[in-house]
Amino acid sequence: MSSIEGIVDALEKKISQVLKTQGVLKEANLKLSQEETQYRSTIKNQELEIKAWKEKYETLKMANTILGSDEDKRETKLKINTLIREIDHCIGQLSE
């Protein structure tokens, strides 16, 4: 009978250890999930900031073309022509 009690005691200890390990792993998982959320938020903010800087760069680039560089004038004319074509296309779709 004592060997059965020993087996049961050993089993209870192992179950207790497994439950403790599970608790530790749940806490670690929760912490990692919170960190992931924080990192995703940081990445999203940085992406928005990059987008804003790109828009500022394009605006500055356009302003420089208006001021006078020959290289930039050509690029600006191409962009304006592209915009005009897009507007014409939209007007054509609206008139249909």
Side-chain angles (χ1 to χ4, degrees), residues 25-37:
L25 291 174
K26 279 185 179 181
E27 288 178 20
N29 189 25
L30 179 62
K31 183 179 177 184
L32 290 173
S33 294
Q34 290 171 346
E35 286 179 11
E36 178 192 18
T37 302

Side-chain angles (χ1 to χ4, degrees), residues 9-54:
D9 285 341
L11 186 58
E12 285 178 352
K13 286 180 184 178
K14 288 182 181 181
I15 289 173
S16 176
Q17 287 175 346
V18 167
L19 291 175
K20 285 181 184 177
T21 304
Q22 181 187 17
V24 169
L25 291 174
K26 279 185 179 181
E27 288 178 20
N29 189 25
L30 179 62
K31 183 179 177 184
L32 290 173
S33 294
Q34 290 171 346
E35 286 179 11
E36 178 192 18
T37 302
Q38 183 181 9
Y39 291 139
R40 286 185 186 273
S41 175
T42 301
I43 289 170
K44 193 171 191 176
N45 290 337
Q46 289 175 344
E47 286 174 347
L48 291 173
E49 190 174 342
I50 288 170
K51 183 178 178 182
W53 279 109
K54 283 182 179 179

